[in-house]
Amino acid sequence: MADTSKHILLMDGPDNKGLIYHVTGVLFRHGLNIIRNNEYVSPSRQFFMRTEFEGNFNTDVLLNELQTTLPPGITFRINPKKKKNIVVFVTKEHHCLAELLIRYAFNELDADILAVISNYNVLQPLVSKFGIPFHYISHEHRSREEHEEAILRTLRIYDPEYLVLAKYMRVLTAGFVQHYPNRIINIHHSFLPAFIGASPYRQAYERGVKIIGATAHFVNNDLDEGPIIAQNVKEVDHRHTAADMATEGKDVEKIVLSQALKLVFNDRVFIHENRSVVL
Amino acid sequence: MADTSKHILLMDGPDNKGLIYHVTGVLFRHGLNIIRNNEYVSPSRQFFMRTEFEGNFNTDVLLNELQTTLPPGITFRINPKKKKNIVVFVTKEHHCLAELLIRYAFNELDADILAVISNYNVLQPLVSKFGIPFHYISHEHRSREEHEEAILRTLRIYDPEYLVLAKYMRVLTAGFVQHYPNRIINIHHSFLPAFIGASPYRQAYERGVKIIGATAHFVNNDLDEGPIIAQNVKEVDHRHTAADMATEGKDVEKIVLSQALKLVFNDRVFIHENRSVVL
Amino acid sequence: MADTSKHILLMDGPDNKGLIYHVTGVLFRHGLNIIRNNEYVSPSRQFFMRTEFEGNFNTDVLLNELQTTLPPGITFRINPKKKKNIVVFVTKEHHCLAELLIRYAFNELDADILAVISNYNVLQPLVSKFGIPFHYISHEHRSREEHEEAILRTLRIYDPEYLVLAKYMRVLTAGFVQHYPNRIINIHHSFLPAFIGASPYRQAYERGVKIIGATAHFVNNDLDEGPIIAQNVKEVDHRHTAADMATEGKDVEKIVLSQALKLVFNDRVFIHENRSVVL
Amino acid sequence: MADTSKHILLMDGPDNKGLIYHVTGVLFRHGLNIIRNNEYVSPSRQFFMRTEFEGNFNTDVLLNELQTTLPPGITFRINPKKKKNIVVFVTKEHHCLAELLIRYAFNELDADILAVISNYNVLQPLVSKFGIPFHYISHEHRSREEHEEAILRTLRIYDPEYLVLAKYMRVLTAGFVQHYPNRIINIHHSFLPAFIGASPYRQAYERGVKIIGATAHFVNNDLDEGPIIAQNVKEVDHRHTAADMATEGKDVEKIVLSQALKLVFNDRVFIHENRSVVL
């Protein structure tokens, strides 16, 4: 049960005098060394803490002692510091997928890509270059529920911790999403909440904006309304057609998605009241 | 009639083969020197050109020759390169107004501030430091029409070329706006079209965005829907309350407004299909 | 001796197991409530902590208990959370000074401007609008030492906590600087370490850069080499002359200086190995 | 000799009254349609113009007429609008190369990658995924001249229009560079001119900068001193080690390099007095 690798303690709940003191006391008495500690208290007095520590410990004993020490409302868990297992969803656009594949191939993703699922087969050649299983699950001639059921069957093979929607252009039902609560990350090609829904670059062009953006967010039941993890933007001007904006936007999308995944895969993102807290 | 100062020729209309050739030919035959020339043709084949030139010329003759040379659908005008006359509207917030006053005091605004109009008197002390007339025109105990009529009476004294809404927190009626078509510039404290209307920072906080912004735009009949001139943004994170966002956002607002005004006051902004073309 | 206002505990020194635990324990036993706590451990194992707390306490008792609890190498101090007293230095350019004056006038500076000192008198009219003492201390017909001695005599009247060089275009001697160790903040009009020294925009233009910047930093003995507090940048292109860059750069300079001052005046900046740690 | 595809006319030389008029007149008389026209006159009165046009023409006749019409000091050329042929140089880092390979594979590069040359063989597996020749030309046991001679022999096979140094970590001699004047593009991992030479992220970390950057530039005889094409930046803070900065910087490097190449490959970049003019 002893473990010498690095771990991360994640806590959140109502703020209370002495919380940091009590938690750091438990770790101190176990001889564990805090490498990095971040905490945040929201204006509504919600407490969040992420503590990266190293040293040997007995998990059951440590968890039990934390349980005893902490006030009842606080939830906490201890994660080993290690790569996550993910499945990537795509449709036809390659840029986000390629970014993830390259990072994965060079060990820069903080995750293992177990498989890629797509409702089209156009990206199969790209995925096959990297020796990763590609599952072409067409939505044609299937109801939405049948299609999602087929996807869920495939996911059961891999049992991923996170699903990454790397320009997957289909809306997921609430029934599907509930299988992966706060474990589905999407990249939306606009600066949310501007231009929710389809053709955001076309909308951006029509509105004549001078800046375009992209948003990585968790997926919940409402389209494009889940907690935002990261956003970034890029200047455009009147010379950009909607197609030019889409082209320029791809660079933003793939980088923002990668940045968001880095945060999530390193257990740095808490969710509270539909907002993310990044520690 | 001769004039040796710099002038700007502004043209727009349906594109036609040889437009640049014909116009530059007229200027060449008049012995005028082009200092800066910018043109743009939209995907819908609308032609825009801004030509800054210097030299002596007879205005009537030049305009007449352009009229004869150009195809019928093209509109054009020649503006002398000089400061614009403006009136600034404010409510209670000082930051945009102060930015304009300082720039004006140090001859950096490309405009003369003829007067400041406000529906509150809180900014009178600031304005008076700079020796500019301040008109306190309260909206209380007045219908919207009566209030706007009182403002229009004051504006008639100054006959400004542009109105600048430097955080003027009242909606203007279509009746008012039609007196100044494409001549009213507003600063909105969000990255439009996100967070139209009231309390955009509160909305931004509730949505958990990671970037806030500001938008300078022309005012037309629809609230916050006129052509965008300039936008800028600033990163925020979960630690920013709505009030913090408002504080941080002020720096963006005042700079974006100043940048947009610089473009407008230098005759660099065309409007077409509710979008701005900046040459 | 009791004090109910907010305070900030600032600590730094070699890292040690249990430091957070011991310090938060002292505060907990005194019944003090931690509002915000930030710590950082550098790769060289230097520990930094900034703890904002509220509650009644006896300063001597608390300091004594911290002294007893903490390992010998740790330095710490407790600052009341309040505005700093500053003196601003300028030469001829107004934009940074005006920014500070406006923020001060509207209670947004986290500091009181006690006086402005300049080696020219051109900005006296601006300063006088805000009712702040202006000291014109010319450097002409004086040796550098005589000039600085005259400045020091004036500073003794005000006894400021910080000096802000808001485009003060003279180099300060080591003899002068040692009176205000880590208490002089300068704004340099380049993205340091690019373009150290005079005429950075001229240098930037000659080099053909596509981005200009500004740097707020502490002043130590070496010109433009002190710890950097904040930097920001702005895109330019080939159309910008050196003068255009200087004009555009002013907006960056004044905002970066304000942001840096906000950090310093809120006791958020530590200095270590000529780098700043911002908590 | 007739040609119906799009072409680009590139001109530069001393400014002269009527230049635009004369050139657009030639195109007008040939019945050619200007799709996009950009010109710029530098403060030193150097004239630059890029004219994209379409229509049928006889190249010899058109060039001859331009020669006759234009003043003697003006140089000009007409390029067909088409992809460039390039060879990419790398050492061990993959991120810029991978970015180019992916763009090439999906027809987004505006160039054909004829081959990749490296002084190490570590990136061979990546390149081979894309079916592009990889030439491993080690510098070991060779003088610099022998190494470059071996490279030149390989280049003669491909006769590329441009060489792209996608993190090629060896300095090229003047003798080598003169074979490709203004045709070698490098990505430097700093915001030039800050941190010229080796280990820029190490230097950036030591200096404590708050923003890191990358610079794409032409290579001439002096190390990192050629004309800058594009730059971009990213915020960092005290928590970033030199290694973290290098990791974060990679995202900036690959995007800036791609943006610069897009400009160069579309004939949008002029060079004048060691600065780039981008039209």
Side-chain angles (χ1 to χ4, degrees):
Chain A
M1 268 279 192
D3 194 331
T4 58
S5 58
K6 292 177 186 174
H7 284 74
I8 298 156
L9 168 63
L10 300 161
M11 287 175 44
D12 73 277
D15 190 26
N16 239 299
K17 210 179 275 191
L19 270 178
I20 302 174
Y21 166 62
H22 290 310
V23 175
T24 55
V26 171
L27 298 177
F28 180 65
R29 284 190 296 275
H30 278 256
L32 299 167
N33 197 38
I34 295 174
I35 303 162
R36 180 173 165 168
N37 193 61
N38 292 88
E39 68 269 357
Y40 170 69
V41 180
S42 78
S44 59
R45 310 301 298 172
Q46 185 79 1
F47 175 84
F48 305 87
M49 190 157 93
R50 179 192 185 277
T51 306
E52 215 171 303
F53 62 91
E54 61 187 351
N56 294 311
F57 64 96
N58 180 304
T59 308
D60 287 350
V61 173
L62 186 62
L63 286 173
N64 192 56
E65 192 167 335
L66 285 167
Q67 190 76 57
T68 315
T69 309
L70 290 170
I74 302 285
T75 63
F76 62 92
R77 64 184 200 277
I78 293 174
N79 284 1
K81 192 170 181 178
K82 68 164 192 58
K83 284 189 195 175
K84 310 300 185 199
N85 290 320
I86 68 171
V87 167
V88 178
F89 284 53
V90 293
T91 293
K92 289 179 175 174
E93 285 180 280
H94 69 278
H95 58 288
C96 288
L97 173 62
E99 183 78 14
L100 301 184
L101 290 171
I102 294 288
R103 286 178 194 257
Y104 171 58
F106 288 91
N107 200 23
E108 298 175 332
L109 188 60
D110 302 320
D112 286 322
I113 301 177
L114 306 180
V116 174
I117 291 175
S118 181
N119 55 328
Y120 286 90
N121 61 7
V122 295
L123 293 173
Q124 177 140 28
L126 174 65
V127 173
S128 69
K129 285 188 208 299
F130 294 85
I132 294 167
F134 181 93
H135 295 271
Y136 167 36
I137 306 177
S138 174
H139 60 278
E140 292 188 66
H141 315 302
R142 276 170 165 151
S143 72
R144 186 170 295 274
E145 285 67 29
E146 287 167 346
H147 184 233
E148 291 189 348
E149 186 47 51
I151 292 172
L152 284 169
R153 274 196 303 273
T154 303
L155 287 175
R156 272 178 219 117
I157 306 170
Y158 297 102
D159 191 24
E161 294 167 274
Y162 289 96
L163 309 186
V164 176
L165 312 186
K167 303 288 289 186
Y168 180 66
M169 307 310 279
R170 289 183 58 84
V171 175
L172 297 169
T173 67
F176 181 93
V177 171
Q178 73 182 7
H179 287 88
Y180 295 91
N182 293 332
R183 290 163 57 195
I184 308 177
I185 297 117
N186 182 47
I187 179 72
H188 183 75
H189 42 316
S190 84
F191 183 80
L192 288 176
F195 312 127
I196 286 175
S199 300
Y201 292 119
R202 166 58 51 188
Q203 293 182 60
Y205 172 77
E206 296 293 346
R207 183 61 189 89
V209 296
K210 300 301 184 185
I211 293 178
I212 56 171
T215 304
H217 63 98
F218 289 105
V219 175
N220 61 16
N221 298 350
D222 300 307
L223 177 64
D224 302 338
E225 306 246 315
I228 293 170
I229 307 163
Q231 298 187 293
N232 213 337
V233 294
K234 191 180 173 82
E235 292 186 21
V236 291
D237 63 33
H238 61 270
R239 292 170 298 186
H240 288 80
T241 62
D244 293 334
M245 288 182 183
T247 299
E248 300 272 332
K250 285 176 183 173
D251 291 348
V252 182
E253 293 166 26
K254 71 185 183 187
I255 299 297
V256 165
L257 177 60
S258 295
Q259 289 170 332
L261 293 180
K262 189 173 184 176
L263 298 174
V264 172
F265 296 163
N266 282 285
D267 293 310
R268 295 184 54 193
V269 184
F270 294 79
I271 296 174
H272 183 62
E273 293 173 348
N274 206 43
R275 288 192 294 274
S276 68
V277 171
V278 180
L279 295 185
Chain B
M1 267 279 194
D3 194 331
T4 57
S5 58
K6 292 178 185 172
H7 284 75
I8 299 156
L9 168 64
L10 300 161
M11 286 175 46
D12 72 279
D15 190 25
N16 240 298
K17 210 179 274 189
L19 271 178
I20 303 174
Y21 167 62
H22 291 310
V23 174
T24 55
V26 172
L27 297 177
F28 179 64
R29 284 189 295 276
H30 278 257
L32 298 168
N33 196 38
I34 295 175
I35 302 162
R36 181 172 165 168
N37 192 63
N38 292 88
E39 68 269 358
Y40 170 68
V41 180
S42 78
S44 60
R45 311 302 299 173
Q46 185 80 0
F47 175 85
F48 304 88
M49 190 157 93
R50 179 191 186 276
T51 306
E52 215 172 305
F53 63 93
E54 60 188 349
N56 294 311
F57 64 95
N58 180 304
T59 308
D60 287 348
V61 173
L62 185 63
L63 287 173
N64 193 56
E65 191 168 335
L66 285 167
Q67 190 77 55
T68 314
T69 309
L70 291 171
I74 302 285
T75 61
F76 63 91
R77 65 184 199 278
I78 294 174
N79 283 1
K81 193 168 181 181
K82 66 165 194 57
K83 285 189 193 174
K84 308 300 186 200
N85 289 320
I86 68 171
V87 167
V88 178
F89 285 53
V90 293
T91 293
K92 288 178 175 176
E93 286 180 280
H94 69 278
H95 57 289
C96 289
L97 172 63
E99 183 78 14
L100 300 184
L101 290 171
I102 294 289
R103 286 179 193 256
Y104 170 58
F106 287 91
N107 199 23
E108 298 176 331
L109 188 59
D110 302 321
D112 286 322
I113 301 177
L114 306 180
V116 175
I117 292 175
S118 181
N119 56 327
Y120 287 91
N121 61 7
V122 293
L123 294 173
Q124 175 140 30
L126 173 64
V127 173
S128 70
K129 285 189 208 300
F130 294 85
I132 293 167
F134 181 92
H135 295 270
Y136 167 35
I137 306 177
S138 175
H139 59 278
E140 292 189 66
H141 314 302
R142 275 168 165 151
S143 71
R144 187 170 295 274
E145 286 67 29
E146 287 168 345
H147 184 234
E148 291 189 349
E149 186 47 50
I151 293 172
L152 284 169
R153 273 196 303 274
T154 302
L155 287 175
R156 272 179 219 118
I157 305 169
Y158 297 104
D159 191 24
E161 294 167 273
Y162 289 96
L163 309 187
V164 176
L165 311 186
K167 303 289 286 188
Y168 180 66
M169 307 310 278
R170 288 181 59 82
V171 175
L172 296 169
T173 67
F176 182 94
V177 171
Q178 72 182 9
H179 288 87
Y180 295 91
N182 292 332
R183 289 163 57 196
I184 307 176
I185 297 116
N186 183 46
I187 180 73
H188 183 75
H189 41 316
S190 86
F191 183 80
L192 288 177
F195 312 128
I196 286 175
S199 301
Y201 292 119
R202 166 57 53 188
Q203 293 182 59
Y205 172 77
E206 295 293 346
R207 183 60 189 91
V209 296
K210 300 300 183 185
I211 292 178
I212 55 170
T215 304
H217 63 98
F218 289 104
V219 174
N220 59 19
N221 299 350
D222 300 307
L223 179 64
D224 301 339
E225 305 245 314
I228 293 170
I229 307 163
Q231 298 188 294
N232 213 336
V233 295
K234 193 182 172 80
E235 291 186 21
V236 292
D237 63 33
H238 61 270
R239 292 170 298 185
H240 288 82
T241 62
D244 293 334
M245 288 182 184
T247 299
E248 299 272 334
K250 284 176 183 174
D251 291 347
V252 182
E253 294 165 26
K254 70 185 183 188
I255 300 297
V256 166
L257 177 59
S258 295
Q259 290 170 332
L261 294 181
K262 189 174 184 175
L263 298 174
V264 172
F265 296 163
N266 282 285
D267 293 310
R268 293 186 53 194
V269 184
F270 294 80
I271 297 175
H272 182 62
E273 294 173 347
N274 208 42
R275 289 192 293 274
S276 67
V277 170
V278 180
L279 296 185
Chain C
M1 271 276 196
D3 193 331
T4 57
S5 58
K6 292 178 186 174
H7 285 74
I8 299 156
L9 169 62
L10 300 161
M11 287 175 44
D12 72 278
D15 191 26
N16 240 299
K17 211 179 273 190
L19 271 179
I20 303 174
Y21 167 61
H22 290 310
V23 174
T24 55
V26 171
L27 298 177
F28 179 65
R29 285 190 296 274
H30 278 257
L32 298 168
N33 196 38
I34 295 175
I35 303 162
R36 180 171 164 168
N37 192 61
N38 293 88
E39 67 270 357
Y40 170 68
V41 180
S42 77
S44 60
R45 311 302 298 172
Q46 185 79 1
F47 176 86
F48 303 88
M49 191 157 93
R50 179 190 186 278
T51 306
E52 214 171 305
F53 63 91
E54 60 188 350
N56 294 312
F57 64 96
N58 180 304
T59 309
D60 288 349
V61 173
L62 185 62
L63 286 173
N64 192 57
E65 192 167 334
L66 285 167
Q67 188 77 58
T68 313
T69 309
L70 290 170
I74 303 284
T75 61
F76 62 92
R77 65 185 199 278
I78 294 174
N79 284 1
K81 192 169 181 179
K82 67 164 191 58
K83 284 190 195 174
K84 307 302 184 200
N85 289 320
I86 68 171
V87 168
V88 178
F89 285 52
V90 293
T91 293
K92 288 177 175 175
E93 286 181 279
H94 69 278
H95 58 287
C96 289
L97 173 62
E99 183 78 16
L100 300 183
L101 290 171
I102 294 288
R103 285 178 194 257
Y104 171 58
F106 287 91
N107 199 21
E108 298 176 332
L109 188 60
D110 301 320
D112 286 322
I113 301 178
L114 306 181
V116 175
I117 291 175
S118 181
N119 56 329
Y120 287 91
N121 61 7
V122 294
L123 293 172
Q124 178 138 27
L126 174 64
V127 173
S128 69
K129 286 188 207 300
F130 294 85
I132 294 167
F134 181 92
H135 295 269
Y136 167 36
I137 306 177
S138 175
H139 60 279
E140 292 189 66
H141 314 301
R142 274 168 165 150
S143 71
R144 187 169 294 273
E145 286 66 29
E146 286 167 346
H147 185 233
E148 290 189 348
E149 186 48 49
I151 292 172
L152 284 169
R153 272 195 303 274
T154 303
L155 287 175
R156 271 178 220 119
I157 305 169
Y158 298 104
D159 192 24
E161 294 166 274
Y162 290 96
L163 309 186
V164 176
L165 311 186
K167 304 287 287 187
Y168 180 66
M169 307 310 279
R170 288 183 59 84
V171 175
L172 296 169
T173 67
F176 182 94
V177 171
Q178 74 181 7
H179 288 88
Y180 295 90
N182 293 332
R183 289 164 58 197
I184 309 177
I185 297 115
N186 183 46
I187 180 72
H188 183 74
H189 41 317
S190 85
F191 183 78
L192 286 176
F195 313 127
I196 286 175
S199 301
Y201 292 120
R202 167 58 52 184
Q203 293 182 59
Y205 172 76
E206 296 291 346
R207 183 61 189 92
V209 297
K210 300 301 184 185
I211 293 178
I212 55 171
T215 304
H217 63 98
F218 289 105
V219 175
N220 61 17
N221 299 349
D222 300 307
L223 178 63
D224 302 338
E225 306 245 314
I228 293 169
I229 306 163
Q231 298 187 293
N232 213 335
V233 294
K234 191 181 174 81
E235 291 184 21
V236 291
D237 63 33
H238 62 270
R239 292 170 298 185
H240 288 81
T241 62
D244 292 336
M245 289 182 183
T247 299
E248 299 272 333
K250 285 176 183 175
D251 290 349
V252 182
E253 295 166 26
K254 71 185 184 187
I255 300 298
V256 166
L257 177 60
S258 295
Q259 289 170 333
L261 294 180
K262 189 173 184 177
L263 298 174
V264 172
F265 296 162
N266 281 284
D267 293 310
R268 294 185 53 195
V269 184
F270 294 79
I271 297 174
H272 183 60
E273 293 173 349
N274 207 43
R275 289 192 293 274
S276 68
V277 171
V278 180
L279 296 184
Chain D
M1 269 281 192
D3 193 331
T4 57
S5 59
K6 292 178 186 173
H7 285 75
I8 298 155
L9 168 63
L10 301 161
M11 286 175 45
D12 73 278
D15 191 24
N16 241 299
K17 210 179 275 189
L19 271 178
I20 303 173
Y21 166 61
H22 291 308
V23 174
T24 54
V26 171
L27 298 177
F28 179 64
R29 284 190 296 274
H30 279 257
L32 299 167
N33 196 37
I34 295 174
I35 302 162
R36 181 173 164 168
N37 192 62
N38 292 87
E39 67 270 357
Y40 169 68
V41 180
S42 77
S44 60
R45 311 303 298 174
Q46 185 79 1
F47 175 85
F48 304 88
M49 190 157 93
R50 179 191 186 277
T51 307
E52 214 171 305
F53 63 92
E54 61 188 350
N56 294 313
F57 64 96
N58 180 302
T59 309
D60 287 349
V61 173
L62 185 62
L63 287 173
N64 192 56
E65 191 167 334
L66 284 167
Q67 190 77 56
T68 313
T69 308
L70 291 169
I74 302 286
T75 62
F76 63 91
R77 64 184 200 277
I78 295 174
N79 284 1
K81 193 169 180 179
K82 67 164 192 55
K83 285 190 193 174
K84 309 301 184 199
N85 290 321
I86 68 171
V87 167
V88 178
F89 284 53
V90 293
T91 293
K92 289 177 174 176
E93 285 180 280
H94 69 278
H95 58 288
C96 288
L97 173 63
E99 182 78 15
L100 300 184
L101 290 171
I102 294 288
R103 286 178 194 256
Y104 171 59
F106 287 91
N107 199 22
E108 298 176 331
L109 188 59
D110 301 321
D112 286 322
I113 301 177
L114 306 181
V116 174
I117 291 176
S118 181
N119 56 328
Y120 287 91
N121 61 7
V122 294
L123 293 173
Q124 177 139 30
L126 173 63
V127 173
S128 69
K129 285 189 208 300
F130 294 86
I132 293 168
F134 182 91
H135 296 270
Y136 166 35
I137 306 176
S138 175
H139 61 278
E140 292 190 65
H141 315 302
R142 274 169 166 152
S143 71
R144 187 169 294 274
E145 285 68 29
E146 287 167 345
H147 185 234
E148 291 190 348
E149 186 48 48
I151 292 172
L152 284 169
R153 274 195 302 274
T154 303
L155 288 175
R156 273 178 218 119
I157 306 170
Y158 298 104
D159 191 23
E161 294 167 274
Y162 289 95
L163 309 186
V164 176
L165 311 186
K167 304 288 287 188
Y168 180 65
M169 307 311 278
R170 289 183 59 82
V171 175
L172 296 169
T173 67
F176 182 94
V177 171
Q178 72 182 8
H179 288 88
Y180 295 90
N182 292 333
R183 289 163 57 196
I184 308 176
I185 297 117
N186 183 46
I187 179 72
H188 183 75
H189 41 316
S190 84
F191 183 80
L192 287 176
F195 312 128
I196 285 175
S199 299
Y201 291 120
R202 168 57 53 187
Q203 292 182 58
Y205 172 76
E206 296 292 346
R207 183 61 190 90
V209 296
K210 300 300 185 186
I211 293 178
I212 56 171
T215 305
H217 64 97
F218 289 104
V219 175
N220 60 18
N221 299 349
D222 300 307
L223 179 65
D224 301 339
E225 305 246 313
I228 293 169
I229 306 162
Q231 299 187 292
N232 213 336
V233 295
K234 192 181 172 82
E235 290 185 22
V236 292
D237 63 34
H238 62 269
R239 292 170 298 185
H240 288 82
T241 62
D244 293 335
M245 289 182 183
T247 299
E248 299 272 334
K250 285 175 183 175
D251 291 347
V252 183
E253 293 165 28
K254 71 185 183 187
I255 299 298
V256 166
L257 177 60
S258 295
Q259 290 170 332
L261 293 180
K262 189 173 185 176
L263 297 175
V264 172
F265 296 163
N266 281 284
D267 294 310
R268 294 185 53 194
V269 184
F270 294 79
I271 297 174
H272 183 60
E273 294 174 347
N274 207 43
R275 291 193 292 274
S276 69
V277 170
V278 180
L279 295 185

